């Protein structure tokens, strides 16, 4: 069982990830209604549900490597997605289970630091021209994962210490129109980054 499976049962008890996902998705609420949103490392579905509620997404593909996280997301979907607009997938994030140039928006809340630059490259593949990307990254100066999670942190993306550092992650990967914001939630700091393909 993976460490993510082990924490799935109590994942929603800590509202931190829910708040980050909601804020991240709300940051693109001014964009046109997306036909397809890809939610990478969805966990229990916070960003996927927010894409329906706040963006009016017509369909969402949500993927996570943890079967137990997806089980919890599907249980919540009975209430939060009664029409079944979210397509849930258990599997690796890269490559994403969508066709090239098919997504209007890619969202990745609280997980890019585990996925690394391969994910950023794959999102360039799946996004339509002028498609949007929204991801969060932990504040490098205060991020202290437990040993089980520390070993999973990608080595090819430096954890940002400023909004400029966070924006540089997207710029260096080939994205444009990059904007980064600092967000503090329950004394924890993350950066929300938005970019265009």
């Amino acid at each position: 069982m993976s460490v993510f499976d082990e924490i799935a049962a109590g994942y929603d008890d800590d509202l931190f990830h829910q708040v980050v996902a909601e804020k991240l998705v709300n940051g693109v609420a001014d964009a046109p209604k997306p036909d397809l949103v890809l939610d990478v490392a969805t966990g229990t579905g916070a960003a996927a549900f927010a894409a329906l509620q706040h963006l009016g997404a017509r369909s969402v593909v949500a993927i996570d490597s943890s079967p137990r996280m997806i089980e919890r997301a599907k249980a919540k979907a009975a209430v939060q997605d009664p029409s079944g607009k979210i397509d849930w997938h258990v599997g690796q994030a890269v490559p994403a289970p969508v066709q090239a140039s098919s997504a209007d928006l890619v969202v990745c809340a609280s997980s890019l630091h585990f996925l690394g630059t391969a994910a950023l490259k794959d999102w360039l593949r799946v996004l339509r021209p002028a498609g949007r990307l929204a991801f969060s990254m932990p504040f490098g100066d205060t991020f202290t994962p437990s040993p089980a999670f520390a070993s999973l942190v990608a080595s090819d993306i430096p954890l940002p210490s400023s909004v400029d550092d966070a924006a540089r992650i997207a710029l260096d990967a080939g994205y444009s129109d990059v904007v980064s914001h600092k967000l503090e939630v329950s004394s924890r700091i993350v950066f929300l980054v938005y970019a265009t393909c």
Side-chain angles (χ1 to χ4, degrees):
M1 182 187 299
S2 76
V3 290
F4 294 102
D5 282 328
E6 291 173 6
I7 65 169
Y11 191 74
D12 291 332
D13 296 343
D14 180 356
L15 294 179
F16 173 77
H17 296 294
Q18 173 80 32
V19 172
V20 171
E22 292 265 349
K23 294 280 189 183
L24 186 65
V25 170
N26 276 331
V28 291
D30 60 338
K33 180 186 290 190
D35 283 325
L36 175 63
V37 174
L38 172 65
D39 178 18
V40 180
T42 188
T44 60
F49 295 128
L52 294 184
Q53 181 180 355
H54 302 299
L55 307 182
R58 293 180 177 90
S59 65
V60 178
V61 172
I63 184 164
D64 201 281
S65 63
S66 165
R68 292 199 174 178
M69 288 285 193
I70 293 293
E71 283 175 15
R72 292 193 61 80
K74 286 181 174 179
K76 292 160 60 176
V79 172
Q80 297 191 49
D81 179 28
S83 58
K85 292 182 178 180
I86 301 174
D87 185 10
W88 303 100
H89 290 262
V90 175
Q92 296 304 310
V94 180
V98 295
Q99 294 181 345
S101 303
S102 63
D104 299 291
L105 171 66
V106 172
V107 178
C108 182
S110 305
S111 294
L112 179 56
H113 55 292
F114 295 122
L115 301 176
T117 57
L120 290 162
K121 291 174 186 172
D122 190 52
W123 300 339
L124 286 171
R125 174 187 67 85
V126 305
L127 281 166
R128 292 177 176 165
R132 300 286 300 276
L133 169 63
F135 64 85
S136 65
M137 285 290 287
F139 180 42
D141 295 6
T142 57
F143 181 60
T144 53
S146 68
F149 287 96
S151 65
L152 301 176
V153 175
S155 61
D156 59 356
I157 296 183
L159 297 178
S161 295
S162 67
V163 290
D164 289 340
D165 288 348
R168 198 169 299 114
I169 293 169
L171 287 168
D172 288 350
Y175 294 86
S176 59
D177 304 320
V178 180
V179 177
S180 177
H181 305 285
K182 187 177 180 180
L183 173 67
E184 186 167 347
V185 181
S186 303
S187 76
R188 285 181 276 184
I189 297 172
V190 299
F191 297 102
L192 308 182
V193 181
Y194 301 95
T196 302
C197 178

